[in-house]
């Protein structure tokens, strides 16, 4: 029996597509679907605002450990308890990437091998 936890994600923070040619794919998403550009890190990461979440195109290097497909990114307050729950539920923690002022991402593989990420914002030091 599954029990809800108080550590559930706050929201779906982002979904990104692993793209072989993000710049070319950007033209499609912008022109064919009308997505509005929110943030762009050259051709490494191209992010659009869609409602209360984001959709992005990631170059293959930026997307690692994902190598293809779509990756869900859930925003959470912290990673500590999530690591234990992931392992206990048959998943595998692949690592944490510190992105400085942007926050940090914990990458994991679900029991079927899909890549999922947990994102936490950088905590600002209290004065």
């Amino acid at each position: 029996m599954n029990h809800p936890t108080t550590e559930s994600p706050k929201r779906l923070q982002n979904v990104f597509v692993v793209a072989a040619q993000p710049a070319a794919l950007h033209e499609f998403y912008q022109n064919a679907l009308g997505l509005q550009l929110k943030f762009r890190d050259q051709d490494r990461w191209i992010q659009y605002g869609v409602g209360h979440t984001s959709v992005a195109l990631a170059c293959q290097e930026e997307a690692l450990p994902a190598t293809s497909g779509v990756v869900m990114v859930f925003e959470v307050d912290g990673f500590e308890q999530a690591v234990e729950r992931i392992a206990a539920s048959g998943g595998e923690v692949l690592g944490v990437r510190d992105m400085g002022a942007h926050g940090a991402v914990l990458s994991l593989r679900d029991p079927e091998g899909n890549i999922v990420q947990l994102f936490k914002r950088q905590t600002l030091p209290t004065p």
Side-chain angles (χ1 to χ4, degrees):
M1 178 177 207
N2 293 333
H3 298 285
T5 174
T6 58
E7 296 295 322
S8 65
K10 298 160 78 167
R11 67 184 182 105
L12 178 63
Q13 194 267 345
N14 193 359
V15 173
F16 68 86
V17 175
V18 181
Q21 298 179 342
L25 206 52
H26 165 63
E27 297 302 319
F28 172 81
Y29 280 89
Q30 189 173 42
N31 296 331
L33 301 180
L35 298 185
Q36 298 297 309
L37 185 65
K38 182 177 178 180
F39 171 79
R40 185 169 186 167
D41 179 7
Q42 300 174 21
D43 290 339
R44 296 180 55 78
W45 184 269
I46 303 169
Q47 186 166 313
Y48 311 93
V50 180
H52 296 291
T53 193
S54 296
V55 173
L57 305 173
C59 71
Q60 292 173 328
E61 180 183 52
E62 188 71 24
L64 288 174
T67 56
S68 65
V70 175
V71 177
M72 294 182 293
V73 182
F74 294 100
E75 185 173 336
V76 297
D77 288 324
F79 299 146
E80 297 75 24
Q81 293 179 352
V83 171
E84 295 171 11
R85 290 194 320 266
I86 292 163
S89 299
E92 175 188 5
V93 173
L94 301 174
V96 175
R97 179 176 172 214
D98 185 345
M99 300 181 302
H102 291 293
V105 172
L106 180 145
S107 295
L108 65 107
R109 189 178 316 276
D110 74 14
E112 290 194 7
N114 300 300
I115 302 294
V116 178
Q117 293 183 332
L118 302 180
F119 167 79
K120 73 172 183 175
R121 297 188 182 280
Q122 179 190 37
T123 52
L124 301 173
T126 39

